[in-house]
Amino acid sequence: MNMPSPLRPLIAATLLLPLMSLLGCGKPETGGPAQTGFDALVASCTQFLAAREPHVRPGGSGEWIKTGYSPALVVPELNRTESTVTPFVGKIVVKDNEAQAAATTQDGAQAITLTPAHLLSNRTHTFVYSFDGKTWRWQNGQLLTKIPGQNDTTVALALADVSAVGPKGFTGCLPR
């Protein structure tokens, strides 16, 4: 079979990945305070996201808008680095859906049961952390939003965005 040359490196890499894992190359060494601290951070983030409730706020044209989020998929990743200053880095990826519905009154909006038919967007938050040997620190983040029928958007998140109080913040996903 004659394979197009741009595909050869991709196929070779795909075939080598399982072999690298068997040889131990694919697993970073973790443990100790870095692992314990990161596990606590992931647990805090997961619990915080699970406790989110839909919220109602006034809209721009006199209507009331109810916004809610699906249960979040929280995917952690912890990696050892070659740096003595930052021996570990961690990443938490949070995937959820945002749903919205409007009503003419606040009570009407509060009474709405959000369903998949109210889907506004699919969201992926990515938070990056570093470990200095003693404590975890938040480094940066981004939000990828996919809205049906529109172009995807990616926005950098500042610490102020993530630590905001209220339904848009992610304070439970910050190291303490």
Side-chain angles (χ1 to χ4, degrees):
M1 176 170 92
N2 196 3
M3 180 181 348
S5 58
L7 293 178
R8 288 181 187 150
L10 177 63
I11 291 173
T14 304
L15 294 174
L16 286 176
L17 281 176
L19 179 59
M20 289 173 60
S21 291
L22 289 174
L23 297 174
C25 297
K27 291 197 174 198
E29 285 182 41
T30 57
Q35 182 74 56
T36 302
F38 192 67
D39 289 348
L41 178 59
V42 171
S44 171
C45 185
T46 302
Q47 290 168 357
F48 174 81
L49 295 168
R52 292 182 298 182
E53 294 287 329
H55 58 280
V56 174
R57 64 177 170 73
S61 326
E63 79 278 9
W64 288 85
I65 299 171
K66 184 173 189 175
T67 303
Y69 309 99
S70 66
L73 171 64
V74 178
V75 181
E77 181 180 314
L78 176 62
N79 291 298
R80 181 177 258 306
T81 71
E82 299 295 323
S83 169
T84 56
V85 176
T86 308
F88 289 92
V89 293
K91 177 171 69 171
I92 296 177
V93 177
V94 176
K95 296 183 178 198
D96 68 1
N97 298 318
E98 183 178 37
Q100 266 187 4
T104 56
T105 66
Q106 184 176 7
D107 288 342
Q110 195 64 46
I112 294 171
T113 300
L114 294 170
T115 68
H118 297 112
L119 177 69
L120 177 64
S121 64
N122 303 106
R123 306 177 322 158
T124 302
H125 289 83
T126 304
F127 305 124
V128 178
Y129 310 87
S130 64
F131 184 75
D132 64 9
K134 295 179 183 170
T135 59
W136 281 99
R137 289 189 171 75
W138 187 84
Q139 291 298 314
N140 62 56
Q142 78 173 22
L143 167 60
L144 168 66
T145 304
K146 297 177 174 243
I147 298 174
Q150 296 183 21
N151 291 332
D152 297 351
T153 60
T154 302
V155 177
L157 297 173
L159 183 57
D161 300 322
V162 178
S163 62
V165 177
K168 293 205 178 249
F170 283 83
T171 57
C173 300
L174 291 174
R176 296 188 180 131

